[in-house]
Amino acid sequence: MSYLPAETPFPEPAPWEQAFWDFCGQRSLRFQGCARCGVVRHPPMPVCASCQAFEIEWLEAEGDVELFTYTIIHHPTHPDLVQATPYNAALVIFPRMQGVRLVTNIVDCRNDDLRIGMKLSLVWEEPTPGRVLPRFRPRV
Ligand SMILES: [Zn+2]
C-alpha cells in the first residue's frame, strides 16, 4: 500500500524533468548537475542558473539524507487525498549533494515522531505500475 492513494493525480513532467522520473522508474534517485560548473540542482531545469550552461549530467544521490522541514496536511488539496489526512509533506536535504532538496513524504513514521534533522533512508513506492516515487523513512 502506498503512502498516498494510488489514484492521486500526478503532474505532467516538463520535458527537462522527464529524465528524473525515468531514473526513478529504474529506482535510481539522480539529481541534475551542471556539466560545466558542477552545481547540483533540483527540480531539474533546462539551463544552469549559476553559469547558464545547457550541458547536464545526472548524479546518483549519495550520502546521508536529513529531514529539512515538513508540514502536516489536515485539509487536502484534492478529493482523492481526503482518506489520507493527516499526512505529511516533507522537504529532505542531501548534504553531500551540495544541499539539494527534494519534496517528498516520510513513510513508516507517525507524524508526531517527525523531527527536523532526523536521518532518513530512501524507499521506493510504486502506487501504480510504472509510477515509481522516492519516499523516505526514518533510518534505523
Ligand atoms: Zn553551471
Side-chain angles (χ1 to χ4, degrees):
M1 187 174 152
S2 59
Y3 183 68
L4 297 177
E7 61 274 11
T8 303
F10 194 69
E12 190 67 32
W16 51 86
E17 298 170 333
Q18 189 60 53
F20 172 82
W21 293 109
D22 290 345
F23 282 120
C24 286
Q26 302 166 31
R27 297 175 189 251
S28 171
L29 182 60
R30 291 177 183 250
F31 293 111
Q32 195 182 57
C34 175
R36 185 191 294 170
C37 76
V39 165
V40 180
R41 58 186 187 250
H42 189 79
M45 298 296 288
V47 64
C48 177
S50 182
C51 76
Q52 290 74 54
F54 290 93
E55 299 84 9
I56 59 168
E57 55 189 349
W58 290 94
L59 308 166
E60 186 84 40
E62 61 178 16
D64 286 342
V65 185
E66 299 173 8
L67 181 56
F68 185 77
T69 192
Y70 67 95
T71 190
I72 306 300
I73 311 294
H74 292 272
H75 301 283
T77 54
H78 192 276
D80 288 342
L81 293 167
V82 169
Q83 65 183 7
T85 58
Y87 62 91
N88 69 69
L91 189 62
V92 300
I93 185 168
F94 294 74
R96 284 191 49 198
M97 303 288 296
Q98 301 175 21
V100 71
R101 299 170 191 172
L102 176 70
V103 177
T104 182
N105 307 102
I106 309 302
V107 302
D108 300 333
C109 183
R110 293 177 343 109
N111 288 335
D112 289 345
D113 292 335
L114 292 169
R115 297 288 180 270
I116 290 173
M118 69 193 299
K119 304 287 192 226
L120 303 166
S121 297
L122 172 65
V123 291
W124 293 104
E125 280 192 354
E126 191 167 357
T128 57
R131 184 199 291 177
V132 182
L133 305 174
R135 307 276 200 218
F136 294 82
R137 70 165 48 117
R139 193 170 72 193
V140 289

